[in-house]
Amino acid sequence: MTKYGSFPGTRPRRLRTTPAMRRMVAETRLHPADFILPAFVREGVSEPVPVAAMPGVVQHTRDSLKKAAAEAVAAGISGIMLFGVPEEAKKDAFGTAGTDPDGILQVALRDVRAEVGDELLVMSDLCLDEFTDHGHCGVLDAAGRVDNDATLERYAEMAQVQADAGAHIVGPSGMMDGQIGVIRDALDQIGREDVAVLAYTVKYSSAFYGPFREAVGSSLQGDRKTYQQDPANLRESLRELELDLGEGADMVMVKPAGPYLDVIAKVADAANVPVAAYQISGEYSMIEAAAEKGWIDRDRAILEALTGIKRAGAVNILTYWAVEVAQKLG
């Protein structure tokens, strides 16, 4: 053996030498079509209202939401997920504004659909929490507990109203048992077999939702641990996946994304439908806050976080940076 025999013959670094080399061998690529933009529309405001805990995010007016939707089309992203923020006086125990054809969410769905047609998938959060005076995702029984089956009846009505308002896709996020099957039946009963259901199959009871609750003006007292999942559990998520697929989910989602990359990977391995992940408000706000302090490189951190979510197996990512990143990817 020569004196050079101790040097490595295999050198992975050869495939990292230049930006062009790294780009050529990249195993995971982000594309504008990967992204869905969550957007908030607030009733009764004349100007967009900044969300203090989410720098750069606003509660839209109807007009500014239409502009945001048009911008999303131009950026080439796939969809926009709408969340309605009603006037406080319109909240009640049953979330009536959520099923009012003239409620803020339904009006916004019609606005956006009229603006973008089929160029952008118009998606709708199907949940009662923004519309209830108690802030829970369902109606309460006499003991103050969320009544699963009574809530399903409200979800069925909500699905039909949202479909009539123009939603291409409804996203049931309340984590009620049996919600996908009931919603699918409700849509089919009014001849809306064309409306897809994106199941929030895995939704953990997470500390990272805090900024979102400001964004939707949540009235929640207490927590949602009796219906959202325990962060300690993984097998439970796979059970939820099996149930949602059996009930007719067209797509499934994991929420949050960053702290649950292992769950995304397991769901992606097991699912025979597209898998989405929601990079939620707390994930967004942590990066923005650290970048504002000068502690991290904002743009690199955003791309790294999104690449990790896609590498884990997400086909689509709901992210508040959807349009910004899509524009940069060009």
Side-chain angles (χ1 to χ4, degrees):
M1 181 178 292
T2 70
K3 64 180 180 178
Y4 303 109
S6 60
F7 290 109
T10 301
R11 295 182 181 269
R13 286 184 56 193
R14 281 193 284 264
L15 300 184
R16 305 171 193 155
T17 52
T18 68
M21 178 70 80
R22 293 190 293 273
R23 185 171 62 247
M24 183 181 75
V25 301
E27 299 172 27
T28 305
R29 301 179 193 276
L30 295 172
H31 186 277
D34 297 338
F35 301 125
I36 297 164
L37 175 68
F40 309 102
V41 58
R42 180 170 170 177
E43 189 172 25
V45 295
S46 58
E47 297 290 337
V49 179
V51 179
M54 300 177 69
V57 175
V58 301
Q59 295 171 325
H60 284 285
T61 66
R62 289 174 60 186
D63 284 340
S64 70
L65 179 64
K66 289 188 286 187
K67 292 176 183 177
E71 185 180 42
V73 171
I77 71 170
S78 288
I80 185 168
M81 174 70 81
L82 302 186
F83 297 83
V85 184
E87 293 177 335
E88 196 68 27
K90 293 185 179 178
K91 295 182 180 182
D92 62 24
F94 301 98
T96 304
T99 50
D100 180 352
D102 294 319
I104 182 59
L105 183 52
Q106 284 67 252
V107 169
L109 285 167
R110 290 195 292 270
D111 285 344
V112 174
R113 188 65 188 272
E115 182 74 22
V116 302
D118 292 333
E119 293 187 85
L120 184 71
L121 290 170
V122 181
M123 310 166 77
S124 186
D125 179 58
L126 200 165
C127 194
L128 293 173
D129 61 322
E130 297 102 308
F131 306 102
T132 55
D133 54 12
H134 48 72
H136 278 287
C137 296
V139 296
L140 305 182
D141 63 17
R145 300 168 300 195
V146 174
D147 186 325
N148 190 94
D149 294 1
T151 298
L152 294 181
E153 293 183 17
R154 299 287 295 123
Y155 285 1
E157 183 181 356
M158 201 171 192
Q160 293 176 339
V161 171
Q162 291 181 355
D164 286 342
H168 292 100
I169 299 172
V170 295
S173 60
M175 294 303 290
M176 296 298 117
D177 294 338
Q179 63 183 13
I180 302 305
V182 166
I183 288 166
R184 182 72 268 159
D185 286 347
L187 291 169
D188 292 351
Q189 284 175 18
I190 62 167
R192 297 310 306 270
E193 296 88 354
D194 58 318
V195 175
V197 179
L198 168 59
Y200 282 61
T201 292
V202 182
K203 184 177 181 182
Y204 286 101
S205 180
S206 173
F208 292 95
Y209 294 134
F212 177 89
R213 290 176 182 163
E214 177 192 341
V216 297
S218 174
S219 303
L220 180 67
Q221 300 294 319
D223 59 51
R224 298 180 172 131
K225 292 181 180 179
T226 63
Y227 46 103
Q228 293 178 353
Q229 290 172 238
D230 185 338
N233 293 348
L234 173 58
R235 284 193 297 271
E236 182 180 20
S237 299
L238 298 179
R239 185 184 184 199
E240 292 277 6
L241 173 64
E242 183 180 1
L243 291 168
D244 283 354
L245 292 177
E247 292 174 21
D250 299 290
M251 298 167 279
V252 297
M253 183 155 66
V254 176
K255 180 181 180 181
Y260 299 96
L261 297 179
D262 61 323
V263 181
I264 296 172
K266 289 286 189 181
V267 169
D269 284 344
N272 59 0
V273 298
V275 175
Y278 196 149
Q279 185 186 54
I280 66 169
S281 58
E283 299 175 70
Y284 173 93
S285 295
M286 285 193 303
I287 290 177
E288 290 287 355
E292 185 179 349
K293 290 282 190 180
W295 294 340
I296 60 173
D297 182 319
R298 176 184 180 275
D299 291 352
R300 287 184 60 197
I302 291 169
L303 288 176
E304 185 174 340
L306 291 170
T307 299
I309 295 166
K310 187 171 182 183
R311 189 185 63 244
V315 174
N316 296 110
I317 304 170
L318 284 81
T319 175
Y320 300 96
W321 291 302
V323 171
E324 176 187 340
V325 172
Q327 290 170 338
K328 290 176 180 176
L329 294 173

